[in-house]
Amino acid sequence: MLLPETGAAYSAPLSSSWLSELFSSVYSSGSCGRLTNVFAQTAPEQLKKEGNDAFNAKNYPVAYAKFSEYLKQTNNQDSATAYYCGIAADEVKKYAEAVTFFDIAIQKKFNIGNAYARKALALDAQKKTAEYVATLEEGLKVDPKNKTMVKNYGLHYLKAGLAAQKAGKAEEAEDCFKKVIPLDHKQYKTNALYSLGVLCYNDGANILKKAAPLANSDADKYAAEKEKADGRFKEALDYLEEAAKISPENENVKKMLPQVKAVMK
């Protein structure tokens, strides 16, 4: 309890009757509620201070405990502390809790790009791939130049495209590579365009190979298949020429372009 201030120090022990009078005056005057409110207002700020100190010292378990209790007491109103609580939660591998706190930051638009990026990483740590990708897509709409999200989104779809290509799922691979093209990332965009060029070229070559027996037996059907193949070769050329504009130094693109042009003659 807060004791009243006196002008001079007084070392004599307090009598029980004096204490009784004090308690009596507090309850009778309705001051109890006000004293309780003082503690309620002070305690959260102390938690926040201790959380900040722990966070700055990289003592993330303590930072998480202090921040989360502070946010609980203040009804999650402090968006900045929610963001840093999410980081602390992530550091102590409380990934589900980290997502919750980053969501608070996102809702209140605090450091929103990085909040999305960190939320995505916390979802990835839980192997929630679909939610991870959806969060990156949502975040990139808000902050399309966020380097972390651009890198993670591009890398995800480049890997997925290569895996689909290796498994013989050409259409799925093509869809994956196309998702990388809009990103503001020279290397990833070049790789995606090159991969699309190779996919289209290979598809055209396969169409021609299958159609070859028709050249002498069904000229019309062969011509129709050759037109399809030429269409794919043209797509390959367009992708590779765009890649060459972005990265003229890329050796793979420089080698592939003449090959595509030769088959189109």
Side-chain angles (χ1 to χ4, degrees):
M1 172 172 286
L2 296 175
L3 295 177
E5 294 183 0
T6 57
Y10 181 60
S11 59
L14 295 175
S15 68
S16 58
S17 61
W18 192 92
L19 287 172
S20 297
E21 290 173 5
L22 176 60
F23 276 105
S24 176
S25 65
V26 166
Y27 280 99
S28 62
S29 64
S31 301
C32 182
R34 291 197 296 274
L35 285 173
T36 302
N37 288 339
V38 169
F39 283 111
Q41 291 165 10
T42 304
E45 291 306 315
Q46 182 63 26
L47 286 168
K48 181 177 179 179
K49 180 184 181 303
E50 291 173 1
N52 285 333
D53 291 344
F55 189 93
N56 290 332
K58 297 185 178 181
N59 187 346
Y60 297 114
V62 171
Y64 172 74
K66 299 292 183 180
F67 282 153
S68 59
E69 180 58 26
Y70 162 75
L71 289 164
K72 180 180 177 182
Q73 289 189 24
T74 56
N75 197 29
N76 295 325
Q77 293 303 305
D78 188 335
S79 58
T81 300
Y83 175 79
Y84 290 107
C85 188
I87 296 176
D90 188 72
E91 290 287 346
V92 297
K93 303 187 187 307
K94 290 182 177 289
Y95 301 119
E97 291 84 350
V99 169
T100 298
F101 289 113
F102 289 132
D103 269 335
I104 294 169
I106 289 167
Q107 289 162 12
K108 296 181 180 297
K109 294 180 171 55
F110 177 83
N111 203 2
I112 192 166
N114 288 332
Y116 268 115
R118 287 184 175 277
K119 176 187 174 181
L121 290 173
L123 288 165
D124 188 45
Q126 298 175 77
K127 302 190 184 304
K128 295 184 176 181
T129 304
E131 292 179 54
Y132 165 71
V133 174
T135 298
L136 288 174
E137 288 177 346
E138 189 177 341
L140 284 168
K141 290 176 184 176
V142 177
D143 188 2
K145 294 187 179 295
N146 184 283
K147 291 181 179 180
T148 300
M149 286 194 286
V150 167
K151 179 180 177 180
N152 290 334
Y153 187 79
L155 194 58
H156 170 81
Y157 275 111
L158 284 173
K159 286 182 177 179
L162 290 172
Q165 188 176 7
K166 188 175 180 180
K169 301 176 181 178
E171 289 186 15
E172 183 180 327
E174 199 167 334
D175 288 341
C176 288
F177 292 136
K178 284 179 179 178
K179 289 183 181 292
V180 181
I181 293 175
L183 297 177
D184 184 17
H185 194 293
K186 178 182 175 180
Q187 181 183 348
Y188 287 175
K189 184 178 284 194
T190 301
N191 289 343
L193 288 166
Y194 170 76
S195 296
L196 283 165
V198 172
L199 273 174
C200 291
Y201 172 81
N202 288 341
D203 190 31
N206 286 333
I207 291 171
L208 275 184
K209 184 178 180 181
K210 291 177 182 178
L214 299 172
N216 296 322
S217 62
D218 193 333
D220 290 341
K221 193 169 184 180
Y222 176 78
E225 290 302 298
K226 186 176 186 307
E227 187 176 353
K228 289 181 186 177
D230 287 343
R232 292 300 272 169
F233 291 143
K234 178 63 169 61
E235 287 183 70
L237 182 62
D238 289 344
Y239 285 130
L240 291 167
E241 285 181 339
E242 189 176 350
K245 288 178 184 177
I246 298 169
S247 300
E249 74 286 354
N250 188 285
E251 291 298 327
N252 289 329
V253 174
K254 287 194 285 188
K255 289 177 182 177
M256 193 69 195
L257 266 172
Q259 193 172 342
V260 175
K261 289 177 180 178
V263 81
M264 292 179 71
K265 290 179 181 179

